[in-house]
Amino acid sequence: MILEIRTYRLKPGTREDFVRIMREEALPLLAKAGIDVVSSGASLVDEDGHEEAYLIRAFPSKETRDEQEDAFYSSPEWHQGPREGIVSRIDGYHTIVIETTDAAVTALRA
């Protein structure tokens, strides 16, 4: 099992809208694309005073991750849908990808 953890540093004053757009628009599209979102939301703390959010996704393999992300991020649904609302609120992001167990992913869903 592959786990991707992405953190977003957001532009000041945009966290609430970012999380709303992610929850209402992006997450349903990700699910439709077959991408397993384990968790997402706002960080409980601001790193160095910056608003932050996160997205955690699970994939059966790194190859599947690459294929699903390529298909999703090149899709008309993403480009004509929530892309601008998401991207315009991001100052920067960081992604790590790790191998883990199904049990660890299940625990993160709680």
Side-chain angles (χ1 to χ4, degrees):
M1 173 73 56
I2 301 298
L3 191 68
E4 176 195 77
I5 303 168
R6 183 170 290 175
T7 61
Y8 301 96
R9 178 158 286 177
L10 304 172
K11 294 179 180 175
T14 65
R15 179 172 38 207
E16 185 176 320
D17 283 338
F18 178 89
V19 170
R20 180 188 54 75
I21 294 166
M22 181 71 77
R23 181 181 60 248
E24 294 175 4
E25 298 179 40
L27 295 184
L29 281 181
L30 288 163
K32 183 179 173 184
I35 296 175
D36 180 9
V37 174
V38 175
S39 185
S40 71
S43 174
L44 296 178
V45 297
D46 294 339
E47 181 74 20
D48 298 327
H50 296 280
E51 294 182 9
E52 306 233 337
Y54 70 93
L55 175 65
I56 302 173
R57 302 184 284 196
F59 301 90
S61 68
K62 185 178 176 314
E63 294 75 25
T64 301
R65 174 190 175 264
D66 295 344
E67 291 167 8
Q68 287 183 319
E69 284 194 340
D70 287 347
F72 178 79
Y73 289 118
S74 65
S75 73
E77 293 84 5
W78 169 245
H79 283 274
Q80 296 166 8
R83 182 187 182 281
E84 181 59 29
I86 295 287
V87 173
S88 67
R89 289 166 171 81
I90 298 172
D91 252 352
Y93 69 93
H94 183 76
T95 302
I96 63 168
V97 178
I98 60 172
E99 192 166 5
T100 190
T101 65
D102 291 348
V105 171
T106 299
L108 286 170
R109 291 184 198 283

